[in-house]
Amino acid sequence: FPTLSAAATPLLAADMFADEVPPPPDPAPFSDLRTVDKGNPVAKDTTNAIPSAYLSPQPATQSANLSPQWATGVWVAQGPGPSRTGQVENIIPDKEVSGALHTVLAHPTDPDILYVGGTNGGLWRTRNATAASPHWVALTDYHPSLSIDALAFDRTDANWQTLVAGIGRYSSFARTGGARTGLLRTTDGGDTWSELDGGGVLSGKNISGIAVRGSTIVVSVNTADSFTCGNIGIYRSTDGGLSFALVTSGIPQAVAYDLIVDPTDDQILLTSIVTLNSCPGSSGIYRSTDTGATWQKVSNTAVENLITNATSNLELAAGPSGAVFAAVINQGRLAGIFRTPDASTSSYHSCLLYT
């Protein structure tokens, strides 16, 4: 393509994925810059092909004389879009695959509002989730990283407009992803987002879980660009994310794979800790009753005996009645599932092991 003059309007990435694209100008000659047919990625769409004169090298003196429409015309977003005929079942009509998701968050009171976080695709929202074919809107394409791992509502917001998302790399392709920039926060249901890194404390850290309660934000970190025992674990903010501090009261500074909130009491948090025999302390499930300020180990030996240097994940989930499930993953394979009926209990001796 020829070099545009300095007076040309720059093309921003945001323009390519705007929620609402204004109608294009007069279709001649550049109403659409598509060169590929979506339905047939091999065939070229020459309906509105760019004149060959503009595709050949041009003298620098001609760059200032380009058509104003070429320099300032409207670009029509051609993506993102799904791949078709993917390795999936029961997705009709074309077996469309849109990429991996790592987190899904349903609105507590509106079944039509659903948020998802892509492994490397950013945050998305639909307002008609119960429709046969929901419409999805990209929310964070303009931010430095699209590697989304965790997402949580602030339960103190009665209107459910405040959410916090965590940046973390979880791609099955060698954990490839964007920069580990910390957190994203919205107070308008996802229309706009601000970046939080706690004054740089969370920069370079892989966020694996989030709990939000007003100005208190607690996150779990399972790895970091600089991996040391003192650089991972549980971090807590009491000023809305402006600053974060590593929590050490009752809990090891080690790999924290997950962080969840008791749905019956939002001051009770649970996290999973794996020391890998390299960090001081004991592996297991830890509980806090003061929104992450202090912790105590509550798992039993049945859980802990399965946690080894081969443990690659320890996922937690809580049901609406407060029951908690824990899954130990060793070398990518499920080693055991445990359950306790009440997260407020002092131990996991009532856990059941499923194999």
Side-chain angles (χ1 to χ4, degrees):
F1 289 101
T3 302
L4 297 180
S5 66
T9 301
L11 174 65
L12 303 177
D15 297 328
M16 298 295 288
F17 299 100
D19 292 344
E20 297 181 3
V21 179
D26 184 349
F30 304 115
S31 65
D32 193 342
L33 298 182
R34 287 176 293 185
T35 59
V36 176
D37 178 3
K38 287 183 179 179
N40 183 1
V42 177
K44 292 199 174 177
D45 177 5
T46 58
T47 305
N48 294 300
I50 301 173
S52 58
Y54 286 99
L55 296 178
S56 59
Q58 300 293 314
T61 54
Q62 294 185 13
S63 63
N65 299 320
L66 290 174
S67 165
Q69 191 171 358
W70 169 259
T72 62
V74 175
W75 288 72
V76 178
Q78 297 300 299
S83 299
R84 293 178 176 174
T85 315
Q87 295 180 345
V88 295
E89 297 179 0
N90 302 321
I91 298 180
I92 55 177
D94 301 312
K95 294 186 177 180
E96 293 182 340
V97 178
S98 298
L101 298 178
H102 204 269
T103 185
V104 178
L105 185 65
H107 193 283
T109 61
D110 189 339
D112 274 320
I113 298 178
L114 186 66
Y115 298 86
V116 299
T119 301
N120 279 314
L123 285 164
W124 295 73
R125 179 189 64 206
T126 180
R127 296 187 185 277
N128 64 336
T130 58
S133 181
H135 172 70
W136 293 91
V137 175
L139 303 176
T140 58
D141 279 358
Y142 321 133
H143 290 273
S145 182
L146 299 181
S147 301
I148 306 298
D149 166 63
L151 184 62
F153 280 104
D154 178 357
R155 299 189 183 193
T156 66
D157 182 347
N159 296 317
W160 304 104
Q161 293 293 293
T162 303
L163 301 88
V164 177
I167 305 297
R169 298 178 191 164
Y170 286 89
S171 171
S172 59
F173 186 63
R175 298 297 186 262
T176 302
R180 294 172 170 132
T181 56
L183 306 175
L184 294 172
R185 181 174 182 263
T186 180
T187 58
D188 55 16
D191 292 337
T192 59
W193 298 79
S194 58
E195 296 164 22
L196 300 173
D197 64 4
V201 173
L202 297 185
S203 294
K205 293 178 173 58
N206 212 68
I207 308 300
S208 58
I210 301 174
V212 189
R213 190 173 184 270
S215 60
T216 299
I217 304 175
V218 184
V219 301
S220 54
V221 175
N222 68 331
T223 190
D225 293 348
S226 176
F227 184 85
T228 64
C229 296
N231 208 28
I232 54 178
I234 298 296
Y235 286 78
R236 187 172 187 260
S237 172
T238 57
D239 55 14
L242 297 179
S243 64
F244 276 87
L246 182 63
V247 179
T248 59
S249 180
I251 192 168
Q253 300 171 43
V255 175
Y257 276 118
D258 205 356
L259 177 68
I260 64 171
V261 181
D262 182 350
T264 65
D265 186 343
D266 59 13
Q267 293 192 68
I268 296 179
L269 310 182
L270 291 163
T271 189
S272 52
I273 296 292
V274 178
T275 63
L276 300 175
N277 290 338
S278 60
C279 298
S282 301
S283 298
I285 299 170
Y286 286 75
R287 176 170 59 91
S288 171
T289 58
D290 52 13
T291 323
T294 61
W295 297 79
Q296 67 178 106
K297 186 155 70 84
V298 294
S299 54
N300 60 3
T301 55
V303 178
E304 294 158 14
N305 287 342
L306 288 182
I307 303 174
T308 68
N309 283 344
T311 299
S312 52
N313 206 347
L314 209 175
E315 289 282 347
L316 303 175
S321 63
V324 176
F325 291 84
V328 180
I329 313 297
N330 290 337
Q331 293 182 328
R333 302 183 66 178
L334 181 65
I337 299 177
F338 298 82
R339 176 184 181 274
T340 185
D342 187 353
S344 65
T345 57
S346 60
S347 72
Y348 268 53
H349 292 298
S350 59
C351 290
L352 301 176
L353 171 62
Y354 296 85
T355 58

